[in-house]
Amino acid sequence: MVARYGGRRRRRESFYHTNGGIKVRSKFERTVINDLESRGIEFGYETLELPWLDTVANGECGDRGSEEVGKHCVYTPDVIFPSGSIVEIKGLFTARDRKIAVGVRKAHPELTIRFLFMQDKWMTKKKVRRYSDWATKNGFESHTGTAVPQEWI
């Protein structure tokens, strides 16, 4: 749904509600969260904020002398379990999502971040790499389906 605000077009965010009343951002997230709730699993939905540095290519730091230049950002993971395990629920896995995942991993190497993909789609037109291939290459665990694997909990 698109609306006009002050002459600019902005997309309104759609929200969905789970059976337990949690407000989520996509139908796929709703399906996964409903499954967790029906299994009686304790979890938090978007309850954690992690700072990370979004680096800028060919940026200059000026007089501070740092080699990494960028913008300070905050990442909010989808699901966090009491064990500290983080699960990111992904339907579409964009280049921006991949950059965020790598940046957060670099800023917080102690965290266990896993991806639950709706489908293991091809990332390239020539069908060279799938979402799961990218995750494995970058050191993330991944699973395809609508339920979080029991061993991740």
Side-chain angles (χ1 to χ4, degrees), residues 51-67:
W52 67 284
L53 183 68
D54 187 3
T55 56
V56 178
N58 301 322
E60 292 185 24
C61 185
D63 58 1
R64 294 191 186 190
S66 174
E67 292 186 18

Side-chain angles (χ1 to χ4, degrees), residues 121-134:
K121 292 185 178 180
W122 292 104
M123 290 176 48
T124 58
K125 288 183 180 179
K126 293 184 179 182
K127 298 184 179 181
V128 176
R129 184 178 302 135
R130 291 183 177 271
Y131 291 170
S132 60
D133 298 333
W134 179 91

